[in-house]
Amino acid sequence: VAFFDGLPLGTAETNVYFVNLGSEDPLRVTLCWSDFPGSPGSSKSLVNDLDLRVIAPDGTTNYHRLFEGPDHTNNVEGLDLPGGLPGLYRIEVSGYNVPQGPQPYALVVRGPLAPTIEHTPLQNTADSVGPYPVDATIVLSSGTVDTNQLFVRWNTDGSTNFAAVPMTRISNDTYRGLLPGQPLSARVRY
């Protein structure tokens, strides 16, 4: 389970989240917010209208329940994808019409979430001495990172044989592995 207290949204603003589904089990996403009170006698009771959209790894766009598009009626929107496709899902929460904003909200994602790893690739360098720090931010949906199982695997020959260096925690969810120095002509793959 992953919980997100999203940044409040105004009209035409969107917050994007990524979750990595680790198996073909169902993915469930729920968006909810406390709406601003409507006017008595109004034909529409929803004042601040947020929309939920989930884009699967194959590019399929999914909306709330059985709707074929955004839901402009409810302040709770849920999406169940039975037998989800493993991979990276893009979850978008958008402010369709937020006249009394910005509108805060909560987002809950349930399913077999795999770790999310964010990394900025190393830049080319003329430094042949090294070491070359490889940093990654690793976020688990539950539990903690087992640093005994955390390595950067690398090679310079393009084969499927990789050397490994351990990664250590440098702050909160950020870990670092140090690749040894390489000749200037080397192309390091990791």
Side-chain angles (χ1 to χ4, degrees), residues 5-189:
D5 281 327
L7 297 172
L9 289 170
T11 299
E13 294 178 336
T14 300
N15 290 335
V16 178
Y17 305 87
F18 292 94
V19 296
N20 194 3
L21 193 62
S23 73
E24 294 181 4
D25 291 336
L27 175 67
R28 293 181 172 90
V29 182
T30 304
L31 166 69
C32 62
W33 65 97
S34 296
D35 196 23
F36 194 83
S39 300
S42 174
S43 63
K44 184 177 178 185
S45 58
L46 187 64
V47 175
N48 288 340
D49 185 357
L50 302 183
D51 288 323
L52 172 66
R53 182 167 84 156
V54 177
I55 302 168
D58 64 1
T60 303
T61 299
N62 302 277
Y63 293 97
H64 167 61
R65 301 281 181 222
L66 301 174
F67 291 93
E68 292 183 9
D71 173 4
H72 299 300
T73 306
N74 301 294
N75 69 325
V76 177
E77 298 186 14
L79 179 75
D80 294 338
L81 297 175
L85 177 68
L88 192 64
Y89 283 75
R90 178 184 173 106
I91 300 172
E92 297 178 354
V93 178
S94 299
Y96 175 74
N97 184 25
V98 187
Q100 299 295 327
Q103 177 65 57
Y105 62 88
L107 183 68
V108 178
V109 180
R110 282 188 339 173
L113 303 179
T116 300
I117 300 173
E118 295 179 9
H119 164 68
T120 301
L122 292 176
Q123 299 296 314
N124 290 335
T125 180
D127 175 10
S128 62
V129 177
Y132 311 118
V134 176
D135 294 348
T137 301
I138 303 172
V139 179
L140 302 179
S141 60
S142 63
T144 58
V145 174
D146 180 357
T147 54
N148 294 320
Q149 302 287 327
L150 197 56
F151 297 92
V152 176
R153 300 191 187 282
W154 64 277
N155 72 29
T156 57
D157 62 7
S159 73
T160 57
N161 298 317
F162 287 84
V165 294
M167 296 187 83
T168 57
R169 181 182 301 221
I170 59 171
S171 69
N172 295 333
D173 296 328
T174 302
Y175 299 83
R176 174 174 288 164
L178 297 173
L179 301 183
Q182 299 296 316
L184 289 179
S185 61
R187 181 171 182 190
V188 178
R189 293 167 181 84

